[in-house]
């Protein structure tokens, strides 16, 4: 593989590419390992509808996912064992102590012991990320395969996980509690699950529908009544109008599925029939893969000899040259910024 400003670099091919190479993206994980991802054009069309039943999915914090068609939630296994959690906590305490001593006696220069500590922390973080990604891929693939329509909330994760620290003149309240909630939300990766569903559903004959997330946890799935008093506890939902009781997350998944079919659900986007105030749910919309206008990845030049020699095939055809896109200064191939301490191999 030929990389600008670096030349030809060997890499290990873990699976056949199966099509014409269009783009290549290079990234570096927390442990310092480099990976290259190829975007290929296979020439395949979207699969026909699979005829499976629809489902509403509520991505939570305590529970990874609750499906409207199931009675038990999907739980994500712990990304770190108890022993690994204790080791990570000890390594982080050691890191802070070593950094404090380096500032006090060495002018901030990192010692070899501190570099080894940073390397051990990075290995545990990378292992945690791999386990999280494995569960996410298995969950999204099963949802796309086993259901003809998947309805999820149109969440804005960036706004949800915004810090509550505030400013120096107007400091926030409950900052540590909000920080813990943000970590729990990001650990479940709702944005990554949505991204994977958006590109997997055409291949499995499914469909992804994004519904407005407003008040799904306070609306009854049986009568569509919105009342905050119905959410008696974190895990219990008891409707004040019709008396329907259910697990709060399962009830939310039923509401999400109903908002995907507003006509069949009795105009779920309007007020219900229980005679009290109801939530305005807006309109559900089909999910389409997002395109990033500021992407730094560049396709191969169609006029080049390499691009012309590659054809759309179902097997692997080795390319003579792959040109990766430009990378930012903070993630350039040549290394990290000079002011960042580098870890030795």
């Amino acid at each position: 593989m030929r990389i600008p400003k670096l030349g030809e670099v060997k890499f290990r091919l873990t699976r056949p590419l199966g099509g014409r190479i269009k783009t290549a993206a290079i990234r570096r994980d927390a442990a310092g390992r480099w990976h290259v991802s190829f975007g290929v054009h296979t020439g395949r069309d979207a699969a026909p509808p699979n005829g499976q039943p629809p489902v509403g999915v509520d991505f939570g914090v305590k529970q990874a996912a609750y499906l409207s068609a199931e009675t038990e939630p999907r739980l994500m296994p712990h990304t770190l064992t108890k022993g690994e959690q204790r080791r990570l906590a000890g390594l982080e305490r050691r890191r802070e102590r070593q950094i404090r001593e380096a500032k006090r006696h060495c002018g901030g220069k990192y010692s070899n012991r501190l570099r080894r500590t940073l390397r051990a922390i990075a290995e545990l973080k990378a292992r945690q990320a791999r386990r999280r990604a494995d569960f996410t891929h298995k969950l999204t693939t099963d949802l796309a395969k086993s259901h003809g329509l998947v309805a999820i909330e149109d969440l804005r994760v960036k706004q949800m996980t915004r810090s509550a620290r505030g400013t120096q003149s107007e400091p926030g309240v409950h900052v540590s509690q909000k920080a813990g909630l943000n970590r729990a939300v990001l650990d479940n990766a709702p944005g990554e699950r949505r991204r994977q569903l958006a590109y997997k559903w055409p291949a499995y004959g499914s469909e992804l529908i994004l519904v407005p997330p407003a008040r799904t946890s306070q609306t009854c799935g049986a009568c569509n009544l919105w009342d905050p008093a119905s959410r008696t506890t974190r895990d219990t939902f008891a409707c004040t109008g019709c008396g329907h009781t259910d697990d709060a997350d399962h009830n939310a998944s039923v509401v999400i599925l109903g908002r995907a079919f507003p006509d069949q659900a009795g105009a779920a986007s309007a007020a219900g029939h229980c005679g009290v105030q109801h939530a305005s749910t807006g309109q559900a919309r089909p999910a389409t893969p997002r395109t990033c206008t500021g992407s730094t990845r560049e396709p191969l030049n169609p006029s080049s000899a390499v691009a012309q020699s590659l054809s759309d095939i179902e097997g692997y055809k080795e390319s003579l040259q792959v040109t990766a896109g430009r990378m930012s200064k903070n993630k350039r191939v040549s290394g990290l910024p000079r002011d960042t301490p580098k870890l030795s191999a």
Side-chain angles (χ1 to χ4, degrees):
M1 179 180 63
R2 187 182 300 276
I3 301 179
K5 300 183 180 180
L6 193 60
E8 294 183 353
V9 177
K10 293 183 179 180
F11 69 96
R12 185 178 62 180
L13 188 65
T14 57
R15 57 174 296 182
L17 298 181
R20 180 161 57 94
I21 300 176
K22 303 290 288 186
T23 60
I26 302 174
R27 65 181 181 88
R28 181 176 181 267
D29 63 8
R33 290 183 288 265
W34 292 92
H35 304 270
V36 56
S37 302
F38 296 103
V40 299
H41 176 65
T42 60
R44 298 177 182 175
D45 297 330
N50 55 23
Q52 299 293 331
V55 69
V57 185
D58 178 63
F59 294 137
V61 175
K62 181 180 178 181
Q63 300 163 346
Y66 216 130
L67 277 63
S68 60
E70 298 179 358
T71 58
E72 295 295 332
R74 303 279 186 97
L75 301 178
M76 181 173 63
H78 293 291
T79 52
L80 290 178
T81 64
K82 292 184 178 180
E84 291 170 339
Q85 293 176 3
R86 290 193 298 267
R87 173 169 169 76
L88 179 61
L91 289 172
E92 289 177 342
R93 290 194 297 267
R94 182 190 301 177
R95 177 193 61 188
E96 298 302 323
R97 183 177 66 252
Q98 290 174 340
I99 291 177
R100 186 169 58 250
E101 293 298 324
K103 292 180 179 179
R104 182 181 302 175
H105 300 291
C106 304
K109 183 179 179 181
Y110 282 16
S111 63
N112 291 331
R113 291 184 178 180
L114 177 55
R115 291 192 176 94
R116 286 197 295 268
T117 302
L118 295 175
R119 171 67 68 180
I121 293 175
E123 289 287 348
L124 285 176
K125 291 289 186 179
R127 186 182 306 170
Q128 184 180 23
R130 290 194 300 269
R131 291 172 179 172
R132 184 189 302 112
D134 177 73
F135 173 81
T136 303
H137 274 288
K138 290 178 179 178
L139 174 64
T140 54
T141 301
D142 179 69
L143 290 175
K145 272 186 176 181
S146 305
H147 302 91
L149 183 143
V150 181
I152 63 174
E153 294 176 306
D154 189 8
L155 299 176
R156 297 294 184 264
V157 181
K158 187 175 182 180
Q159 284 77 1
M160 290 171 52
T161 56
R162 185 175 298 171
S163 175
R165 185 177 303 173
T167 61
Q168 187 173 3
S169 58
E170 297 180 359
V173 295
H174 304 296
V175 178
S176 60
Q177 293 87 337
K178 184 61 168 61
L181 177 61
N182 293 346
R183 285 193 296 268
V185 171
L186 294 174
D187 187 61
N188 278 277
E192 177 63 16
R193 294 174 183 176
R194 168 178 169 171
R195 186 192 70 85
Q196 292 185 10
L197 285 172
Y199 79 80
K200 287 181 180 181
W201 68 260
Y204 295 106
S206 181
E207 184 180 1
L208 179 64
I209 297 293
L210 306 178
V211 304
R215 302 169 181 173
T216 54
S217 61
Q218 300 174 350
T219 303
C220 179
C223 66
N224 199 37
L225 167 68
W226 169 69
D227 189 1
S230 300
R231 188 74 179 266
T232 56
T233 63
R234 188 253 171 264
D235 299 324
T236 306
F237 183 90
C239 181
T240 58
C242 64
H244 172 70
T245 59
D246 195 359
D247 184 272
D249 293 332
H250 182 263
N251 177 80
S253 65
V254 175
V255 174
I256 292 171
L257 180 61
R259 291 185 180 182
F261 301 96
D263 297 334
Q264 291 84 342
S269 61
H273 60 273
C274 291
V276 294
Q277 183 182 7
H278 287 70
S280 175
T281 60
Q283 297 293 332
R285 62 184 180 89
T288 56
R290 295 181 176 179
T291 57
C292 182
T293 57
S295 177
T296 58
R297 291 179 293 180
E298 297 177 348
L300 290 175
N301 184 4
S303 61
S304 64
V306 177
Q308 293 177 357
S309 62
L310 296 175
S311 58
D312 296 336
I313 56 176
E314 290 299 327
Y316 167 69
K317 185 172 182 179
E318 183 178 358
S319 61
L320 302 178
Q321 175 179 339
V322 177
T323 305
R326 295 184 298 271
M327 305 185 71
S328 62
K329 294 182 179 180
N330 294 333
K331 297 181 180 181
R332 56 192 176 191
V333 178
S334 57
L336 299 175
R338 295 183 179 180
D339 55 348
T340 303
K342 297 182 180 179
L343 302 179
S344 59

